[in-house]
Amino acid sequence: MKFRNSNFFHILLFSFCLLISCPSHGQAQVKKVLTEADYGKFGTLLIKQFSSDGKWVSYEMQYENKVDTLFLQHVPSKQATLIPRGKDSAFGGMSFFAWRVGSNLLIKNLKDGSIETLEGVKRYEFTRDGKHLLVLQPNGNLLIKDLRVKKEERISDVSNYVTNAKTDGVLFTKEYQGKCLLGYFSFKKNETLPLLEEVTPISRMVWQKDGESVGFMVGNALRFLDLKSRKLYSLPMEIKKKPLKIADGALYPIVLSDDGEKVFFSVVFEKPKVTDDKREQVEVWNGTDVCLFPVRQVLEKISIPLLAVWLPKK
């Protein structure tokens, strides 16, 4: 085969050489050999939170060796602070940022950059408006810090607490001289009000939306307290002579309606204990069964929780 045009031949030859050389050159640039030491450098990036004004963001790099790194970044300037082993972080409005390192809590003022450290912290949270910080210590002390005026209140022997959506106060339980006390601390009045005294532990406290009533458990019984009238309501735990038990666990919460007239919860009818019959049984398997024979055997021994509603005032 002869090429009559020499220029065409040169162009064709050049193009052929270019096609051969470019892929090999590109592969030499991007190829990287990974070693076993590189595997530990891979992590998962998680965006944690934004401050209420959107000027600050926190994110975290999580690694398999659990030596994670927390980052706090100022969005406008893109300046980031690296916090090794930082965990459980939260923003307090637009002015404060807190995180835990081990059992210590560090609180950073985003305005002036100062950092306060509290040792021995079991649990903490900012109120929704970012004006107060609540810290529960292992020794039972509940610290209520007013971040605006740098004042601090301390309640001893606290076992649990819960704030309401209005962020005007906190409900808490404390154990004192063999009794369990239910109390309320008002942020506005800066005072503690005793509400109830029981010999049985108080648990599962929940607020009504406007903070006008609360629901809680006293032992295995459900209670409803109207904070305005201070009237206490108790749920009878027997309906149609069938013993009821209120289901426990995160899947079955107690919920108060927004108007404070209804209490929603889950119940189970307590079944008598079934002893295992080790004798030979005839297993009947039917193709139209909703549950197979082994599943039916399990369901006979357990009770499936049912949703219930209680109208305390009626």
Side-chain angles (χ1 to χ4, degrees):
M1 180 178 181
K2 296 182 179 180
F3 291 95
R4 296 181 179 179
N5 191 329
S6 61
N7 291 332
F8 175 78
F9 175 77
H10 291 133
I11 292 173
L12 181 62
L13 181 62
F14 174 77
S15 301
F16 180 75
C17 294
L18 187 63
L19 289 173
I20 295 176
S21 61
C22 283
S24 61
H25 179 71
Q27 290 176 3
Q29 290 291 330
V30 299
K31 187 176 181 180
K32 178 177 174 62
V33 179
L34 294 178
T35 64
E36 188 175 347
D38 294 322
Y39 299 157
K41 299 177 183 178
F42 290 97
T44 303
L45 176 65
L46 297 176
I47 303 297
K48 302 295 287 185
Q49 246 186 338
F50 280 90
S51 60
S52 58
D53 59 359
K55 293 183 179 180
W56 294 86
V57 62
S58 65
Y59 51 95
E60 186 175 315
M61 280 296 297
Q62 296 183 347
Y63 302 96
E64 281 192 15
N65 60 9
K66 306 299 182 182
V67 185
D68 303 331
T69 302
L70 179 67
F71 294 85
L72 173 65
Q73 182 167 328
H74 186 241
V75 176
S77 66
K78 299 182 180 179
Q79 183 177 357
T81 302
L82 184 149
I83 307 170
R85 292 181 171 82
K87 284 282 188 181
D88 193 18
S89 60
F91 282 100
M94 62 182 71
S95 302
F96 294 91
F97 180 71
W99 67 94
R100 295 179 62 170
V101 177
S103 62
N104 295 338
L105 178 68
L106 293 91
I107 310 156
K108 181 172 183 176
N109 188 319
L110 298 176
K111 301 297 182 183
D112 58 23
S114 60
I115 297 178
E116 178 184 359
T117 301
L118 295 176
E119 297 181 355
V121 173
K122 181 179 179 181
R123 173 189 165 194
Y124 86 96
E125 69 176 282
F126 289 101
T127 54
R128 187 173 298 183
D129 56 11
K131 297 178 180 178
H132 292 83
L133 174 66
L134 292 93
V135 178
L136 183 60
Q137 298 177 316
N139 60 6
N141 287 334
L142 176 62
L143 307 180
I144 304 174
K145 300 173 70 69
D146 190 329
L147 300 173
R148 298 164 299 175
V149 295
K150 295 184 179 181
K151 284 187 177 181
E152 180 180 294
E153 296 292 332
R154 186 186 302 264
I155 304 174
S156 60
D157 305 315
V158 172
S159 54
N160 196 14
Y161 72 88
V162 58
T163 58
N164 59 26
K166 290 178 64 178
T167 63
D168 59 358
V170 56
L171 195 71
F172 64 89
T173 56
K174 60 180 298 181
E175 298 176 1
Y176 180 71
Q177 293 183 349
K179 296 181 179 180
C180 191
L181 307 177
L182 180 67
Y184 172 75
F185 181 84
S186 171
F187 295 146
K188 295 180 179 180
K189 297 181 181 180
N190 199 39
E191 64 178 4
T192 301
L193 303 174
L195 298 177
L196 189 67
E197 183 178 297
E198 294 282 348
V199 294
T200 308
I202 299 173
S203 62
R204 302 182 68 180
M205 299 176 292
V206 59
W207 281 97
Q208 182 259 352
K209 179 182 177 182
D210 297 326
E212 297 178 351
S213 56
V214 294
F216 53 93
M217 297 285 295
V218 178
N220 296 322
L222 182 59
R223 301 284 187 266
F224 176 87
L225 178 62
D226 188 317
L227 293 178
K228 286 187 175 181
S229 64
R230 296 291 183 91
K231 189 172 181 179
L232 180 67
Y233 300 85
S234 300
L235 175 68
M237 290 310 297
E238 187 172 302
I239 297 177
K240 295 182 181 180
K241 298 182 179 180
K242 293 184 178 181
L244 280 175
K245 180 181 178 182
I246 296 179
D248 199 359
L251 295 177
Y252 312 109
I254 299 172
V255 179
L256 273 59
S257 61
D258 290 350
D259 59 7
E261 297 294 327
K262 306 177 185 69
V263 182
F264 296 92
F265 55 99
S266 296
V267 297
V268 291
F269 288 96
E270 294 183 306
K271 290 185 177 182
K273 293 183 178 179
V274 180
T275 57
D276 293 330
D277 191 353
K278 296 182 179 179
R279 294 176 300 175
E280 293 185 2
Q281 296 180 356
V282 177
E283 298 185 6
V284 180
W285 293 60
N286 194 317
T288 60
D289 287 342
V290 177
C291 298
L292 297 180
F293 184 83
V295 178
R296 293 204 307 271
Q297 282 187 311
V298 174
L299 293 178
E300 288 176 358
K301 301 178 182 179
I302 63 174
S303 295
I304 299 176
L306 304 173
L307 181 63
V309 60
W310 172 39
L311 284 68
K313 299 177 183 179
K314 295 183 180 181

